[in-house]
Amino acid sequence: MPILALLRLRSNRFYGHIPSELAMSKELQFLDLAYNKFSGSIPHSIVNLSAMARNSGYSEILYRSIAGPPGPQLYNYMYAIISFRESVSVLTKGQQLGFSSQLSYMVFLDLSCNNLTGEIPQDIGALIALKGFNLSWNQLSGEIPVSIGQLKALESLDLSHNGLSGEIPSSMSALTSLSSMNLSYNDLSGKIPAGNQIETFNASVYMGNIGLCGPPLTWSCPGNSSSQDTHGNHHDLGDISLNLAVIIGFVLNLWVVFCLMLFKKSWRVAYFVFVDELYDKIYVTVVVRFAIWKRKCGI
């Protein structure tokens, strides 16, 4: 059997489990099993695809399957050498792109549009050379692995139309090469992480996840809202406390003055004398100013 660097079976003919023996293909750097009827979980051995776990040493010769029996077994193929003058269409970055000579540098894993269940392997971050990763339109569950943040070369990621739950791992903000992402129509929740490329995507990549919150979505996270409400409540309580302190202080001062005047006759007499004198001064000032105003107005 020739060295297998590219395996593409977009045929709607294959079903059953994805064989774990695929990981034995040490040069396999392009695996496209989309639009089939594969079921069961993603084999954990897929993280052992050594050609997807290295940053250099891409294959110079690529092979693809041109024939194979329908069914769950993927062992008996016929292969044909792909000429670099031949263009191969690849769905990546949200669009169908044609590759020819660049295909030898394309590290790609596409298992979309099948009936796969279970969780994404937790060690998927081992495939550090991946440029395109598509698991959309399956029935996957569980959380997005934190290790996905190790895929620093990743340019296109599509996990849409599954049943993934939990929060989007903050490690995804480390994917600085990511130019296309789709996490829509899952059961994701919590705050959308911020930082680097992940901040450049619009709200459409998160639609269908009613539990998500924060930018670029228009609704804020409950934690942030409650925090803001708490700060607002603290501010209101502070105002109430200040006003209450002023009122209590004013009442206490009046009570002290009243008690002093009640038990000190000399203070009481002095107070009323002061009030009478103040009243007389104010009355005289008002009368004089009113007379001057009438004289100026000719009244």
Side-chain angles (χ1 to χ4, degrees):
M1 181 182 293
I3 295 175
L4 179 61
L6 182 149
L7 177 58
R8 192 174 202 198
L9 299 169
R10 300 170 71 96
S11 65
N12 266 330
R13 313 168 56 195
F14 292 91
Y15 57 89
H17 294 267
I18 297 175
S20 59
E21 288 80 3
L22 280 175
M24 298 173 62
S25 301
K26 301 300 182 183
E27 300 301 319
L28 186 61
Q29 66 184 53
F30 190 108
L31 178 59
D32 185 355
L33 303 181
Y35 294 96
N36 281 286
K37 298 179 181 178
F38 289 112
S39 58
S41 60
I42 301 172
H44 185 269
S45 61
I46 205 166
V47 304
N48 297 323
L49 288 168
S50 55
M52 295 185 183
R54 61 181 184 230
N55 285 321
S56 60
Y58 300 107
S59 300
E60 296 181 357
I61 301 176
L62 298 179
Y63 294 84
R64 68 171 173 178
S65 173
I66 59 172
Q73 304 300 321
L74 298 179
Y75 306 132
N76 300 316
Y77 311 100
M78 295 176 58
Y79 301 103
I81 295 178
I82 294 178
S83 168
F84 285 154
R85 291 171 304 203
E86 178 184 351
S87 177
V88 176
S89 179
V90 178
L91 180 61
T92 182
K93 300 182 182 180
Q95 54 187 322
Q96 203 80 26
L97 301 176
F99 293 88
S100 54
S101 59
Q102 302 91 354
L103 193 59
S104 61
Y105 302 100
M106 190 67 182
V107 184
F108 188 78
L109 178 58
D110 190 347
L111 304 179
S112 62
C113 302
N114 281 286
N115 299 313
L116 299 174
T117 57
E119 300 183 355
I120 301 173
Q122 293 298 314
D123 298 332
I124 197 67
L127 306 182
I128 58 173
L130 270 181
K131 293 183 181 295
F133 187 29
N134 192 344
L135 297 179
S136 62
W137 292 96
N138 279 288
Q139 301 171 38
L140 299 174
S141 58
E143 299 184 354
I144 300 175
V146 175
S147 67
I148 202 168
Q150 300 172 20
L151 306 179
K152 301 297 179 61
L154 199 62
E155 298 175 357
S156 177
L157 173 65
D158 193 345
L159 303 179
S160 63
H161 296 274
N162 279 287
L164 300 174
S165 58
E167 297 185 355
I168 300 173
S170 58
S171 61
M172 288 184 62
S173 61
L175 302 179
T176 54
S177 299
L178 201 60
S179 60
S180 175
M181 182 179 74
N182 192 350
L183 303 180
S184 61
Y185 298 102
N186 281 285
D187 295 318
L188 300 171
S189 59
K191 184 179 180 180
I192 297 172
N196 298 320
Q197 291 298 106
I198 203 167
E199 288 189 344
T200 65
F201 299 110
N202 58 38
S204 63
V205 306
Y206 304 109
M207 68 172 57
N209 295 279
I210 59 175
L212 286 179
C213 57
L217 302 179
T218 55
W219 51 91
S220 59
C221 295
N224 290 345
S225 297
S226 61
S227 176
Q228 292 171 358
D229 291 342
T230 301
H231 291 156
N233 290 337
H234 286 169
H235 181 70
D236 293 341
L237 288 175
D239 291 341
I240 292 173
S241 300
L242 178 61
N243 293 333
L244 187 59
V246 170
I247 293 171
I248 292 174
F250 180 73
V251 171
L252 285 176
N253 287 332
L254 283 178
W255 180 252
V256 169
V257 171
F258 174 78
C259 290
L260 289 174
M261 293 178 64
L262 182 64
F263 296 102
K264 287 283 188 178
K265 183 178 180 181
S266 59
W267 286 26
R268 189 163 62 249
V269 171
Y271 171 75
F272 287 116
V273 170
F274 171 76
V275 171
D276 287 339
E277 290 178 353
L278 183 62
Y279 170 79
D280 292 338
K281 288 180 180 180
I282 294 174
Y283 177 77
V284 171
T285 301
V286 172
V287 170
V288 171
R289 291 189 176 275
F290 182 70
I292 294 173
W293 176 78
K294 285 178 63 178
R295 191 181 304 119
K296 287 183 178 179
C297 296
I299 299 175

